[in-house]
């Protein structure tokens, strides 16, 4: 292991994973180079750029022809779980960065823009959410945001990869703090199987905080999964899923919208936010409601701005407010045309 690279005490550094996912994981085509982490050349992660030495470059078939780069100060952790490559590095401008299979999941500096929006867009759209399920989200950031809601009594989370939880606890304490809330029940396992076993009508809200639809999260973007989500929600319950970038993935978004339109008989909406370290700098969310008490996602009826109960623990919200909530549903014309066509 390169000098300066720390491994979480109980984290295996070798994985039994078959090599078949190598091509899909976004790292396979990349060369290894010294990322400034002080380690031996051949032992550094595949995603440290060979093009600009000492920089991490995010290259993937999901965004061909472009790569956002961050300067690496130090590699803090690299490991291989049963599901994916896990990397943590200290960047020079975005704090610590969590990378799965070569793709940035969060940085300390801009994680608020994603975690706050994926949690509060659904939870501020319904009155008194009580039971919430998070699928994925093993870093704990979405839990941190859900637990700001004082009406919530129970928060289940199903994350497939324990290494993500362990690494977050070790390197991102301000994100993993979400696990410390006594309302949280952590299940390590497959979110698809977990949902299938959930009794009908259990949750008020389900949040799907997944990685991209290549690798372990692929099924979370497919129609049978959305059907399981709808079944697990109460009448008028809501789901918010990570739904990619309007600049890069309109074809994926079109499919998600079309699937959701068939499954969810309440409303189906697309919203977006800015996340500077995600490809194209934007990230979208699919927000749907089951048939029942109507939900108008564009008009938050359960504002969190006034709820100060967790300010002492977590600090104030950094990104979300009621104005940005409503604005998130305003789409550029090119996106609106495609999404409205599929949604109606
Ligand atoms: N809790 C944070 C986990 C982040 N989950 C979403 C990560 C998405 C990364 N890829 C972005 C690609 C943009 N199209």
């Amino acid at each position: 292991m390169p000098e300066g690279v720390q491994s979480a005490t109980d984290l295996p550094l070798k994985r039994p994973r078959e090599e078949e996912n190598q091509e899909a994981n976004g790292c396979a085509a990349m060369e290894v180079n010294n990322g400034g982490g002080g380690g031996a050349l051949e032992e550094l992660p595949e995603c440290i750029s060979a093009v600009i030495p000492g920089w991490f470059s995010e290259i993937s078939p999901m965004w061909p022809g472009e790569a956002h780069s961050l300067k690496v100060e130090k590699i803090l952790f690299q490991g291989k779980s049963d599901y994916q490559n896990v990397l943590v590095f200290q960047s020079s401008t975005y704090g610590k960065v969590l990378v799965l299979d070569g793709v940035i999941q969060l940085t300390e500096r801009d994680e608020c823009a994603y975690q706050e929006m994926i949690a509060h867009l659904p939870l501020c759209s319904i009155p008194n959410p009580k039971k919430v399920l998070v699928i994925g989200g093993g870093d704990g950031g979405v839990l941190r945001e859900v637990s700001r809601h004082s009406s919530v009594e129970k928060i289940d989370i199903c994350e497939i990869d324990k290494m993500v939880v362990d690494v977050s606890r070790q390197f991102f304490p301000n994100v993993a703090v979400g696990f410390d809330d006594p309302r949280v029940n952590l299940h390590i396992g497959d979110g698809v199987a977990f949902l299938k076993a959930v009794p009908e009508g259990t949750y008020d809200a389900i949040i799907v905080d997944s990685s991209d639809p290549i690798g372990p999260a692929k099924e979370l973007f497919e129609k049978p999964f959305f059907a399981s989500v709808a079944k697990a929600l109460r009448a008028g319950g809501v789901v918010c899923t990570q739904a990619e970038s309007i600049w890069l993935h309109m074809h994926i978004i079109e499919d998600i919208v079309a699937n959701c339109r068939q499954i969810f008989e309440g409303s189906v909406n697309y919203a977006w936010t800015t996340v500077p370290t995600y490809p194209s700098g934007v990230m979208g969310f699919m927000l749907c409601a089951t048939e029942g008490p109507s939900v108008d996602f564009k008009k938050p009826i359960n504002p969190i701005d006034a709820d100060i109960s967790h300010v002492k623990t977590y600090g104030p919200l950094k990104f979300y407010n009621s104005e940005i909530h409503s604005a998130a549903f305003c789409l550029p014309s090119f996106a609106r045309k495609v999404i409205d066509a599929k949604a109606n």
Side-chain angles (χ1 to χ4, degrees), residues 58 62-63 103-106 114-115 137 139 141-142 209-212 242 244-245 248-249 278-279 282-283:
E58 193 183 44
M62 279 196 73
W63 39 92
V103 177
I104 291 175
Q105 302 299 305
L106 65 85
Y114 176 85
Q115 324 260 32
D139 52 78
V142 173
D209 176 19
S210 69
S211 46
D212 296 318
Q242 188 266 83
E244 300 297 345
S245 162
L248 298 169
H249 307 120
Y278 285 165
V282 308
M283 174 51 93

Side-chain angles (χ1 to χ4, degrees), residues 76 100 119 133 136 170 239 249 273 279 303 333:
L76 301 171
L100 299 180
L133 170 64
Q170 182 169 359
V239 61
H249 307 120
T273 188
S333 301

Side-chain angles (χ1 to χ4, degrees), residues 48 60 106 114 127 140-141 149 161 186 190 205-207 218 222 232-233 239 253-254 277 294 306 309 313 325 328 342:
I48 299 301
S60 166
L106 65 85
Y114 176 85
H149 288 260
D161 195 344
L186 170 63
D190 175 19
I206 296 177
I207 297 169
K218 187 171 175 288
E222 293 170 354
L233 286 170
V239 61
I253 296 167
E254 264 186 89
T277 56
S294 78
S309 55
T313 323
H325 179 129
K342 290 285 172 188

